[in-house]
Amino acid sequence: MHPVMTGRRVLLIIGGGIAAYKSLDLIRQLRKQGASVVPVLTRAAEEFITPLSVSALAAEKVYRDLFDLTDEAGMGHIELSRVADLLIVAPATAHMMARMAGGHADDLASTLLMATDKRVLIAPSMNVRMWQHPATQRNLATLRDDGVLVVGPNEGEMACGEFGPGRMAEVPEIIAAIGAAFGAGPLAGKHIIVTSGSTHELIDPVRYIANRSSGTQGTALAVALRDMGARTTFVTGPARVAPPDGVTVVRVKTAREMQEAVTNALPANAAIFAAAVADWRVEHEATEKMKKREGEVLHLTFAENPDILAGVARMAEGRPALVVGFAAETTDVLAQAQAKRARKGCDWIVANDVSPETDIMGGTENAVHLVTGDSVETWPRMAKAAVARRLATRIFAHLCTG
Ligand code: C5P
């Protein structure tokens, strides 16, 4: 159950595309979250899924035909278009988008979309060329101008064998978009800790050992989680980018301070460790500025820093339901990430190659692998904000669906 979804009514228009099968799971997940679903099938959708499976999953009558509704003693199309808090079109085919943009009202689905006074969310799904066609892009712009909300499409391999944007958004992404449309984010009521930035390990009062982390990915993640309604505690070491608004910011310098701040911020539903924490600190920090002495070579001895991620991941009591580490590597990224996941006891590792030629550390883009218990996903290179949104959606899926 989810506070934002409980008691909400969603009118789900299922269009005629191969992704219609995902809408069956969407119905199931929405009901699991406490929402009820009024399903509408277009004629073409019935070629892909059956009214019986839809009505069984929704536990509601399936509306299929405009003339089902001519009996004004029953529910008329105007009434049906307004019984729900939100209308969703999934999959929204190129043809459906064109009809919506053109204001057609020649079947039940299009008539409901014309007659409603509620918000409309579409999840486009089509062949990559159809999606990229100027007509579809024109229709998309028109629909956006009309206030229609859009989720997806995603890029990937398509049922037709081609590759590119056009795949319908996954069910957790659609649910997240529905939550956002309801005003409160889908992560409302969840507390998530994000660590970010670098740490400064002091040598003396004016010198320290640092690393090149800019804090961009961690900050983007805090923004994405905040935007999905999570109460976010952002524990940040020194960073080049400013911390976001709307989150609880705890500024720290050293790894030990970061550990203390994380401990104080618990309990949490999830903890995401995006900070680049120094593994070692200078064992004996000088209390006064160290002086150069003729002919003397300086030797520093190091002590190991606490591993904040491993500490939280191995908590016997009160462990967050999801603990995520990051692995910045320059060689054997995947093997290192898998070993790190096991070593640290965390649930997921987000791994990336930070070799200088990738321009990732301190840059605006990231190319990551998501290593979970049973799978490794390689995401295409994209903006760090896009990585953050995708990860936030996965965090939502883990915490709130499944
Ligand atoms: O072992 P390594 O530093 O590569 O592990 C990276 C992951 O562990 C990151 O998620 C980082 O935030 C976390 N970490 C930590 N405390 C440390 C070292 C790393 O939380 N002392």
Side-chain angles (χ1 to χ4, degrees):
M1 287 286 193
H2 193 283
V4 177
M5 298 285 182
T6 311
R8 300 284 191 156
R9 213 153 182 211
V10 161
L11 192 137
L12 174 64
I13 295 170
I14 304 178
I18 186 70
Y21 75 91
K22 289 191 198 171
S23 300
L24 296 175
D25 191 37
L26 179 61
I27 296 173
R28 210 172 59 85
Q29 294 295 345
L30 279 168
R31 294 196 61 213
K32 218 163 149 182
Q33 308 282 320
S36 60
V37 180
V38 180
V40 176
L41 277 178
T42 65
R43 279 254 298 283
E46 289 185 31
E47 303 290 330
F48 294 90
I49 51 175
T50 70
L52 189 61
S53 53
V54 173
S55 88
L57 285 167
E60 293 260 0
K61 171 180 163 63
V62 181
Y63 294 89
R64 300 157 62 187
D65 194 335
L66 195 49
F67 302 102
D68 281 357
L69 303 173
T70 48
D71 173 11
E72 291 294 334
M75 201 185 297
H77 63 271
I78 303 291
E79 201 183 337
L80 183 60
S81 76
R82 299 186 184 171
V83 289
D85 301 301
L86 179 74
L87 271 64
I88 303 170
V89 187
T93 59
H95 185 222
M96 176 66 94
M97 285 175 64
R99 289 194 304 153
M100 287 174 74
H104 293 214
D106 54 1
D107 68 353
L108 179 60
S110 56
T111 305
L112 295 175
L113 288 160
M114 283 293 281
T116 191
D117 58 353
K118 301 293 171 13
R119 300 192 85 178
V120 176
L121 169 73
I122 64 170
S125 165
M126 65 199 72
N127 166 271
V128 53
R129 289 197 190 278
M130 292 174 78
W131 173 251
Q132 286 167 343
H133 195 285
T136 303
Q137 291 302 312
R138 238 182 356 253
N139 292 333
L140 177 68
T142 303
L143 292 172
R144 282 211 158 106
D145 283 352
D146 291 345
V148 170
L149 304 166
V150 183
V151 55
N154 290 339
E155 194 169 296
E157 202 164 320
M158 316 198 54
C160 53
E162 288 187 56
F163 188 89
R167 273 171 71 102
M168 187 165 92
E170 298 302 323
V171 170
E173 293 171 306
I174 299 175
I175 291 188
I178 295 168
F182 282 150
L187 282 170
K190 303 286 178 206
H191 176 217
I192 302 185
I193 300 171
V194 178
T195 72
S196 180
S198 66
T199 62
H200 283 182
E201 306 301 330
L202 305 181
I203 299 170
D204 69 15
V206 297
R207 301 182 177 96
Y208 55 80
I209 295 172
N211 61 66
R212 292 178 48 215
S213 169
S214 64
T216 310
Q217 186 62 78
T219 304
L221 198 51
V223 167
L225 293 166
R226 174 203 70 189
D227 287 351
M228 286 175 71
R231 180 164 71 82
T232 307
T233 302
F234 185 64
V235 179
T236 178
R240 279 212 304 276
V241 294
D245 296 331
V247 303
T248 304
V249 181
V250 188
R251 287 189 171 80
V252 297
K253 284 214 164 60
T254 67
R256 283 184 294 176
E257 288 169 9
M258 188 172 275
Q259 183 187 43
E260 197 186 336
V262 168
T263 307
N264 290 341
L266 290 166
N269 300 95
I272 321 299
F273 294 89
V277 185
D279 290 323
W280 300 279
R281 65 177 181 276
V282 176
E283 190 168 24
H284 302 290
E285 173 196 331
T287 50
E288 288 171 10
K289 185 182 171 198
M290 292 164 76
K291 296 281 180 245
K292 188 163 64 176
R293 289 203 194 89
E294 198 63 27
E296 203 178 82
V297 179
L298 177 65
H299 293 282
L300 291 174
T301 51
F302 291 93
E304 207 170 314
N305 266 332
D307 193 314
I308 311 166
L309 165 65
V312 171
R314 299 199 183 282
M315 281 170 68
E317 262 176 57
R319 180 192 190 275
L322 180 65
V323 178
V324 183
F326 274 65
E329 306 290 348
T330 52
T331 50
D332 279 342
V333 179
L334 276 183
Q336 302 264 20
Q338 269 155 333
K340 190 163 292 184
R341 184 179 163 273
R343 200 166 61 241
K344 305 235 182 189
C346 59
D347 303 299
W348 300 350
I349 285 278
V350 181
N352 56 8
D353 185 342
V354 291
S355 311
E357 65 275 15
T358 64
D359 214 18
I360 281 175
M361 202 141 189
T364 56
E365 291 189 334
N366 209 350
V368 307
H369 309 273
L370 180 64
V371 180
T372 65
D374 40 29
S375 72
V376 175
E377 293 171 27
T378 298
W379 295 359
R381 192 176 169 119
M382 59 182 109
K384 285 182 177 173
V387 171
R389 283 194 295 271
R390 195 151 162 179
L391 201 55
T393 303
R394 294 297 295 270
I395 292 166
F396 159 75
H398 186 87
L399 293 181
C400 306
T401 66

